[in-house]
Amino acid sequence: MPGKLIDGKAIAEAINAETVTEIGRLKEQRGLIPGLAVVLVGDDPASVAYVSSKDKMCARLGLHSERVNLPASTSEGELLAIINDLNFKREVHGILVQSPLPPQISARNIFTAIDPTKDVDGFHPLNVGKVALGDPTGFTPCTPAGVHQLLIRSGVKIDGAHVVVLGRSHLVGRPVSLILSQKAPNADATVTVCHSRSRNLAEICRSADILIAAIGAPRFVTAEMVCEGAVIIDVGINRVEDKAAKNGYRLVGDVNFDAVVPKASLITPVPGGVGPMTIALLMHNTVRAAKMRHGVA
């Protein structure tokens, strides 16, 4: 079992170490400190915890960090005004607006309002287009980029592999399918994207060399949906009731881990798989944004 696990924590730490080295170089050579601003609207517990973890990581790696906390009643116009201010703030190189947003605010309008050169979450239409075209100057969304790095740094052969992606969201499913199907190193996969209307889903999943689950359904992927030797990347994070747990719940993925692990050649655990990679790639993107803005190679 230990040999089958893809250790997202360890791989994220390796990326963080590279980021720290780059931050040190920017400080020493240019007097430049990359800065990240995170905007949180409302008090959703999961979002609050996630934003706090980003604050802590900025402090740990040596990035400048700003946090904007807004009430859930904030209007779209008020949020757009704050984003406009951050777009012109010199100390801020990356802007992230935490999802989900309250119903009175259009996520599409907010993502479009962020300066694409500061869009370290990779959701601006310009960056989405660059990812689709394989343009390396764009910002790739952090979770799909994290999935890609997990595969690369685990030595998984992507070239020519059949990748099945469960989920077509703009957050994970679509961008990861674009990344892995590009004509590029560590890509060139044949990618099938499945969703709630897909027919013969189990049969399609069994044909996958690499199965990426990102549908938000606890333990959805069963052993019958996985072929022997497949690589399994579980993006899902779901709370399920567990009276024995301290908080009354525990976190599980979109994959029925215990059932699937005997058949997998490699598999990510939940937690400790994709999650740490998302924050590591956010920090990496922020440093990239600072370098691009100041013309540093």
Side-chain angles (χ1 to χ4, degrees):
M1 159 91 97
K4 290 189 172 187
L5 292 182
I6 297 177
D7 190 341
K9 291 182 180 179
I11 296 173
E13 281 304 307
I15 294 172
N16 288 334
E18 295 165 7
T19 300
V20 167
T21 298
E22 197 61 21
I23 292 170
R25 184 176 76 89
L26 292 174
K27 289 180 181 178
E28 181 180 348
Q29 296 181 2
R30 302 294 291 267
L32 173 61
I33 301 176
L36 173 67
V38 178
V39 182
L40 176 63
V41 184
D43 55 0
D44 174 73
S47 294
V48 170
Y50 194 49
V51 168
S52 295
S53 66
K54 292 170 184 173
D55 290 341
K56 292 176 183 176
M57 188 60 72
C58 282
R60 182 183 149 203
L61 301 187
L63 281 79
H64 169 69
S65 176
E66 297 188 15
R67 180 168 167 176
V68 181
N69 293 313
L70 301 171
S73 59
T74 300
S75 70
E76 184 173 302
E78 289 169 330
L79 180 53
L80 288 171
I82 289 169
I83 291 171
N84 185 63
D85 290 341
L86 293 173
N87 281 341
F88 288 96
K89 197 164 187 177
R90 293 176 60 86
E91 301 91 337
V92 172
H93 302 98
I95 301 170
L96 182 147
V97 178
Q98 182 65 37
S99 297
L101 290 167
Q104 73 274 14
I105 298 176
S106 164
R108 178 178 295 179
N109 291 344
I110 298 306
F111 295 147
T112 303
I114 296 172
D115 180 343
T117 66
K118 294 188 176 187
D119 171 39
V120 290
D121 231 5
F123 295 148
H124 189 284
L126 181 61
N127 285 316
V128 173
K130 285 185 173 183
V131 170
L133 293 172
D135 184 339
T137 65
F139 289 104
T140 303
C142 302
T143 299
V147 169
H148 194 204
Q149 285 298 314
L150 283 177
L151 294 170
I152 293 170
R153 295 179 186 237
S154 298
V156 176
K157 179 176 170 54
I158 304 172
D159 178 6
H162 182 206
V163 179
V164 172
V165 181
L166 290 177
R168 55 180 170 180
S169 75
H170 72 278
L171 300 176
V172 181
R174 291 183 183 179
V176 82
S177 70
L178 291 171
I179 293 166
L180 297 179
S181 61
Q182 288 173 1
K183 188 176 182 180
N186 299 308
D188 279 320
T190 299
V191 181
T192 302
V193 179
C194 296
H195 46 80
S196 60
R197 302 300 293 273
S198 297
R199 298 176 182 174
N200 304 318
L201 185 59
E203 181 181 345
I204 295 170
C205 290
R206 282 194 297 272
S207 70
D209 302 303
I210 302 169
L211 179 63
I212 300 171
I215 52 175
R219 303 189 184 104
F220 179 85
V221 177
T222 62
E224 292 72 27
M225 299 172 68
V226 176
C227 73
E228 290 286 345
V231 175
I232 311 296
I233 305 294
D234 191 349
V235 183
I237 300 180
N238 309 284
R239 290 186 179 187
V240 296
E241 183 179 351
D242 185 349
K243 294 180 180 179
K246 181 179 178 181
N247 297 321
Y249 68 87
R250 62 191 178 99
L251 298 178
V252 300
D254 290 349
V255 175
N256 188 330
F257 183 88
D258 291 338
V260 168
V261 70
K263 299 182 75 172
S265 60
L266 290 171
I267 188 169
T268 55
V270 176
V274 176
M277 297 294 293
T278 299
I279 295 180
L281 269 297
L282 174 64
M283 303 296 124
H284 169 81
N285 277 355
T286 301
V287 173
R288 273 192 65 218
K291 290 168 65 177
M292 290 167 61
R293 182 161 291 271
H294 293 272
V296 179

